[in-house]
């Protein structure tokens, strides 16, 4: 399973080194070039939410639920600003999903602490599937591959696969 490839590597850079800011800028540049390349391929709802929410940075997790019967994964979260502040992202036709901790417990369902928030998040398109991966402040790592996504707002607005409200 492909893990976070661009931004995640920034976490391991020694910030005390003289050239670390240049390395960080280079990694972000590489990632944004990649995003530009896939912007027409990836699910438009995910791409729009990712860009408008500043990569879901500091968004607090409320719940992660994986329904094996329906082959869906939903993430409830709250954040700061923009219309994605209180939302549920539901990933449909999930082909691979991994929820775990940095120290190794893969494939578990996690009930996050209400204080836990997303610190690193990437989206992508690999092997014909949309991808979202994130890491939280408390060390939770999620990787999910899926076909499409639906975003439900707290006030019941829905953006569907056709980008309609």
């Amino acid at each position: 399973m492909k893990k976070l490839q661009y931004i995640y590597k920034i976490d391991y850079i020694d910030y005390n080194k003289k050239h670390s800011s240049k390395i960080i800028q280079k990694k972000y540049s590489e990632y944004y070039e990649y995003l530009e390349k896939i912007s027409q391929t990836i699910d438009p709802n995910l791409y729009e939410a990712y860009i408008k929410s500043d990569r879901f940075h500091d968004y607090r997790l409320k719940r992660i639920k994986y329904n094996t019967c329906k082959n869906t994964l939903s993430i409830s979260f709250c954040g700061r600003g923009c219309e994605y502040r209180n939302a549920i992202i539901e990933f449909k036709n999930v082909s691979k999903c991994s929820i775990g901790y940095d120290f190794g417990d893969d494939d578990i369902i996690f009930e996050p602490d209400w204080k836990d928030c997303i610190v690193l998040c990437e989206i992508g398109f690999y092997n014909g599937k949309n991808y979202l991966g994130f890491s939280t402040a408390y060390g939770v790592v999620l990787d999910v591959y899926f076909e499409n996504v639906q975003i439900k707002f707290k006030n019941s607005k829905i953006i569907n696969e056709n980008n309609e409200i």
Side-chain angles (χ1 to χ4, degrees), residues 147-162:
E147 286 185 17
N148 49 37
V149 66
Q150 186 175 60
I151 302 171
K152 300 175 184 177
F153 300 100
K154 187 174 182 177
N155 61 2
S156 300
K157 288 182 185 176
I158 294 175
I159 294 182
N160 64 22
E161 294 83 17
N162 298 323

Side-chain angles (χ1 to χ4, degrees), residues 58-61 112-118 137-138:
D58 286 340
Y59 277 62
R60 287 192 175 150
L61 299 178
D113 184 297
W114 72 272
K115 296 177 189 174
D116 201 8
C117 63
I118 298 169
Y138 287 7

Side-chain angles (χ1 to χ4, degrees), residues 36-151:
E36 185 64 32
K37 288 179 187 175
I38 66 165
S39 64
Q40 300 301 312
T41 308
I42 196 164
D43 187 293
N45 300 315
L46 178 64
Y47 184 80
E48 179 183 359
Y50 186 77
I51 297 300
K52 285 186 176 180
S53 68
D54 188 25
R55 302 177 324 271
F56 298 113
H57 185 71
D58 286 340
Y59 277 62
R60 287 192 175 150
L61 299 178
K62 292 181 179 179
R63 184 178 68 155
I64 300 171
K65 181 181 178 184
Y66 183 48
N67 185 328
T68 55
C69 295
K70 292 183 179 180
N71 207 22
T72 62
L73 177 104
S74 63
I75 302 171
S76 302
F77 61 90
C78 59
R80 51 186 167 72
C82 89
E83 65 262 35
Y84 303 101
R85 204 167 69 144
N86 288 301
I88 298 171
I89 297 180
E90 187 172 297
F91 303 97
K92 297 182 177 190
N93 299 321
V94 173
S95 60
K96 291 182 185 178
C97 177
S98 174
I99 304 168
Y101 296 96
D102 277 341
F103 51 85
D105 291 336
D106 248 0
D107 299 321
I108 62 170
I109 300 302
F110 181 73
E111 292 287 334
D113 184 297
W114 72 272
K115 296 177 189 174
D116 201 8
C117 63
I118 298 169
V119 292
L120 299 170
C121 183
E122 288 184 15
I123 60 173
F125 194 80
Y126 303 108
N127 300 323
K129 299 288 182 189
N130 292 286
Y131 166 79
L132 179 130
F134 67 71
S135 180
T136 71
Y138 287 7
V140 175
V141 177
L142 177 126
D143 289 292
V144 61
Y145 293 83
F146 58 95
E147 286 185 17
N148 49 37
V149 66
Q150 186 175 60
I151 302 171

